[in-house]
Amino acid sequence: MAYEQDDPRDFLRRIVWTLSLGLVWLVGTIGIGTYAGLMVPEKKLTIGNIIFYGWMLISLAGLIWVNYRIWKKKFPHG
């Protein structure tokens, strides 16, 4: 009986971790970008904008890598 209950728990745990990490990344990135004024260039593109967008892409790649690691484990049923 315990084997049947572990499969849905593992699936729901993966969903919760994926959504939580995505939401934290999204809120953090958009919050920093809007608070510091780096998200939208004012008159011209500055070094701060370039650093912000570089950080955004690197952290997005990290988020995708972490989510890949979470979901790469196969489920017992197939």
Side-chain angles (χ1 to χ4, degrees):
M1 189 59 103
Y3 178 74
E4 294 173 358
Q5 292 177 356
D6 288 341
D7 194 32
R9 285 184 184 169
D10 185 38
F11 184 67
L12 290 174
R13 188 175 298 125
R14 291 179 191 195
I15 291 173
V16 168
W17 270 103
T18 300
L19 290 175
S20 298
L21 289 173
L23 185 63
V24 166
W25 177 84
L26 186 66
V27 169
T29 302
I30 290 177
I32 291 169
T34 55
Y35 181 74
L38 299 172
M39 203 161 174
V40 179
E42 293 293 324
K43 297 178 182 172
K44 62 178 184 171
L45 192 63
T46 63
I47 191 72
N49 297 111
I50 294 169
I51 292 171
F52 170 73
Y53 281 110
W55 160 253
M56 186 175 73
L57 290 175
I58 291 169
S59 64
L60 178 62
L63 177 67
I64 291 170
W65 179 76
V66 168
N67 283 334
Y68 173 76
R69 300 261 308 169
I70 289 172
W71 286 96
K72 81 175 187 176
K73 181 181 139 191
K74 300 291 183 197
F75 287 106
H77 57 77

